[in-house]
Amino acid sequence: MTAEPTADRHSVLGYLGPNWFASVMGTGIVATAGASLPVHIPGLRTFALVVWVAATVWLVVLVGATGAHWVRNPVVARSHAHNPQMAHFYGAAPMALLTVGAGALLVGVDLIGQRAAVDLAWVLWTAGTVGGLWTAASIPFLMFTQYHVGPDAAFGGWLMPVVPPMVSAATGALLIPHMADGVGRTTMFYGCLAMFGMSLVASLIIITMIWSRLAHFGTSGTARVPTLWIVLGPLGQSITVAGLLGTDAALTLDPILADGMNVFAVLYGVPVWGFSVLWIALATSLTVRTLRRGMPFALTWWSLTFPVGTFVTGTTQLALHTGLPAFRVAAALAYLGLLCTWLLVAVRTFRGGVRRGLFAPPGAAPVRAQKDPPAADPPR
């Protein structure tokens, strides 16, 4: 057995985990989804700007607090990487950076101007992309080599480290129109498309495992149930990326490929949107069922925000590419649902933070030092 890492239990910095960055993601997506909503609502853009400022300030606070946590409690901070539940949420930090960067381009420009907004977006996109590519490779590697993974272990949090490249593709697509024509813009386009595929294939594998886990073992019946909503993240964000790249294609590809990307945005987006609606129905039923049995509040409830926000942005792209009023109505209704859940989770998080109940240490989980059997001695 190993000794539990020591930390000041009365300090908010004692057990500050990477899962806190999900609150930035959930807040930032309210701004970006509102700024791009395909319906006109008076005051919505001003509201989105205020929310983006709040997300930006909260990101700065969390980055500073995380740095202080690593300085004051380095042993505890390093231990998060060895916890099979908490480690996956390292993907939240890159996505928080990317979400705020996207918001700078979509709505922050009204406050800080286009030049500053583009520069800020580039800085956050670069940092978020590097961090996201690192989590997409390193956390699965730890799963394959060190973590003890039971047959009923799959949960929505497994998606967190592999989704950041998809968010990078979305924010990168927003940056393409601000790039000069040439090889750099074309490289950016194909780089975003590659990250789209990288994240999508990995996510589909994990979603299949989550479905299998639910069929064979059911839900955990705990505060981990809201993580089922994370499945919407790669689905909705992939629809968004396909739509954004379909629009950007005319800027950098030859007409034949550009037309193909526009067709792909619809032929890919609509079927995946259909599965997303099915998953919303299933996740809602399972969440309500667990709530009735007394599901406690935890930071995992933020899973009800960012993934729903990506469904809104994906639906918005389908509304733009198909021109169908049905998608505009669906985007508006989904955004209303996003606002309701965001307000609920934000209030509960503030209350739990003030009472310091959300700063408790993460639950212990077994870790194997080595999964592979030791190599046999060579024959003499």
Side-chain angles (χ1 to χ4, degrees), residues 252-268:
T252 185
L253 303 182
D254 64 67
I256 295 178
L257 286 177
D259 289 343
M261 285 301 303
N262 267 305
V263 172
F264 175 74
V266 175
L267 294 185
Y268 169 83

Side-chain angles (χ1 to χ4, degrees), residues 14-371:
Y15 290 97
L16 186 67
N19 52 341
W20 272 94
F21 284 94
S23 60
V24 178
M25 297 166 53
T27 302
I29 198 68
V30 172
T32 57
S36 57
L37 204 65
V39 295
H40 176 70
I41 301 176
L44 179 58
R45 189 167 182 85
T46 300
F47 169 76
L49 177 60
V50 172
V51 174
W52 175 77
V53 171
T56 303
V57 172
W58 185 229
L59 174 63
V60 173
V61 170
L62 280 182
V63 169
T66 300
H69 173 57
W70 274 86
V71 172
R72 293 183 58 178
N73 302 293
V75 176
V76 177
R78 287 194 299 269
S79 71
H80 295 319
H82 301 289
N83 186 299
Q85 303 298 322
M86 182 64 74
H88 298 282
F89 289 94
Y90 273 112
M95 286 191 283
L97 297 173
L98 293 163
T99 304
V100 171
L105 292 172
L106 291 173
V107 69
V109 63
D110 294 349
L111 179 66
I112 62 177
Q114 181 170 316
R115 184 68 268 162
V118 172
D119 290 343
L120 177 60
W122 270 113
V123 171
L124 294 178
W125 182 83
T126 301
T129 299
V130 172
L133 292 174
W134 179 81
T135 63
S138 63
I139 302 303
F141 175 80
L142 292 177
M143 287 182 67
F144 301 160
T145 60
Q146 296 188 25
Y147 298 159
H148 174 76
V149 181
D152 61 342
F155 77 115
W158 281 15
L159 290 163
M160 291 295 288
V162 301
V163 173
M166 186 71 79
V167 184
S168 288
T171 305
L174 292 174
L175 283 167
I176 288 176
H178 298 281
M179 299 179 66
D181 189 18
V183 176
R185 176 188 274 181
T186 304
T187 302
M188 181 68 157
F189 181 93
Y190 282 113
C192 290
L193 190 59
M195 288 190 288
F196 166 90
M198 177 193 304
S199 182
L200 178 63
V201 174
S203 296
L204 292 177
I205 294 171
I206 295 171
I207 292 170
T208 303
M209 297 175 72
I210 294 171
W211 187 292
S212 176
R213 175 262 169 93
L214 291 172
H216 289 97
F217 301 98
T219 67
S220 62
T222 67
R224 204 171 68 167
V225 170
T227 64
L228 292 174
W229 287 86
I230 299 177
V231 169
L232 274 183
L235 298 177
Q237 197 73 305
S238 66
I239 300 172
T240 304
V241 173
L244 291 172
L245 291 180
T247 302
D248 291 340
L251 299 175
T252 185
L253 303 182
D254 64 67
I256 295 178
L257 286 177
D259 289 343
M261 285 301 303
N262 267 305
V263 172
F264 175 74
V266 175
L267 294 185
Y268 169 83
V270 175
V272 174
W273 187 89
F275 178 76
S276 299
V277 172
L278 171 62
W279 191 264
I280 289 174
L282 292 172
T284 300
S285 301
L286 293 172
T287 303
V288 170
R289 177 174 179 265
T290 309
L291 279 171
R292 288 177 175 174
R293 299 184 178 187
M295 181 176 68
F297 178 76
L299 288 177
T300 53
W301 282 38
W302 280 100
S303 304
L304 301 168
T305 56
F306 183 82
V308 176
T310 67
F311 178 77
V312 175
T313 58
T315 306
T316 294
Q317 285 300 315
L318 290 179
L320 296 175
H321 281 270
T322 65
L324 284 177
F327 284 121
R328 290 199 296 271
V329 173
L333 292 176
Y335 188 70
L336 179 61
L338 170 63
L339 284 180
C340 293
T341 55
W342 173 68
L343 288 171
L344 171 65
V345 177
V347 170
R348 295 292 299 271
T349 301
F350 179 79
R351 185 187 306 170
V354 170
R355 297 175 180 176
R356 299 191 179 183
L358 296 178
F359 295 98
V367 179
R368 254 184 223 167
Q370 180 70 32
K371 272 191 171 181

